[in-house]
Amino acid sequence: MAERPDACALVTGASRGIGAATAKSLARDGWPVAVNYRSDADGAAAVVAEIEASGGRAVALGADVASPEAADELLTGAESHFGVPVLALVNNAGIAADNLISMLGDEEWQRVIDTNLTGAFRLTRRALKSMLRARFGRIVNISSVVGLRANPGQANYAAAKAGLIAMTKTVTVEVARRGITANAVAPGWIDTDMTADVESELLSHVPARRAGTPEEVAACVSFLASDAAAYVNGAVLAVDGGLAA
Ligand SMILES: NC(=O)c1ccc[n+]([C@@H]2O[C@H](COP(=O)([O-])OP(=O)(O)OC[C@H]3O[C@@H](n4cnc5c(N)ncnc54)[C@H](OP(=O)(O)O)[C@@H]3O)[C@@H](O)[C@H]2O)c1
């Protein structure tokens, strides 16, 4: 593993699921990785331990991305720990609070928007400072198939995930000339805690007839963060077994 000497990566919501797989994948690619979590300190510590056991470098950083202070805390924490700027940002932290729109409360709406969209906005704004200085950066936003096609009961989640795609494209056209790429990944049904309660007969709607794995999403993030993806800007990469096709 060749370590990147001049940069580190930050993955939000990396204590389990897609974020944990992404942190491990980026570490295998040579990035020192900041592993953010909200409440699951043990999960984050286990991800860090696994990365270190494989010869990589990682640090666990607790912060709620929905809080206005989180962006500065996380970027400052990662940069002071590793001594290099965060030049790869993966906005992965996300929650769902489902309800049909006629019963969807203001609190459920706001909590999902604050976590899934506003958190990514603040982190992107803060991370761009170092990226613009370095004239290099990789921003990957974990959206969802639900940002592309409707799913009943998820108006708040869909609005946040579609907003993330629109934000990604806007960021791209603002900063592409500075060597910074911003792309979105739109997972379909991925086997994590978030989908643990979903009825498995819904898998018959997935052309591949199976759920995806966190590692299959992480592989796409790794590609988008790599030098090989330097000319991929504003793309929405579906990782969904054909669900959005
Ligand atoms: N699973 C799917 O089928 C699927 C499909 C499409 C898109 N996605 C998206 O992929 C991302 C990861 O999903 P997942 O399935 O891996 O979810 P998950 O297993 O439920 O894990 C969620 C992760 O996000 C963290 N998190 C939640 N709220 C946070 C906050 N306010 N601040 C910081 N971290 C926070 C959690 O940290 P703690 O454990 O510390 O609370 C956890 O590490 C989400 O954005 C989700 O919307 C998932």
Side-chain angles (χ1 to χ4, degrees), residues 27 49 60 68 74 81 90 94 106 114 124 127 200 212:
L74 287 172
H81 181 84
V90 183
D106 286 359
D114 287 350
T124 300
S200 57

Side-chain angles (χ1 to χ4, degrees), residues 11-21 35-44 61-67 70 74 91-96 111 114-116 141-146 157 161 164 185-196 198 211-212 214 217 239:
V11 183
T12 65
S15 55
R16 54 198 159 93
I18 292 168
V35 175
N36 162 245
Y37 65 96
R38 178 188 48 182
S39 54
D40 187 2
D42 290 347
L61 297 176
D64 178 345
V65 299
S67 105
L74 287 172
N91 286 308
N92 166 79
I95 54 166
R111 184 156 45 94
D114 287 350
T115 303
N116 298 9
N141 293 322
I142 307 300
S143 178
S144 168
V145 65
V146 176
Y157 187 80
K161 293 301 188 181
L164 214 40
V185 173
W189 182 339
I190 308 301
D191 193 8
T192 69
D193 292 349
M194 186 177 265
T195 50
V198 179
V217 181
V239 188

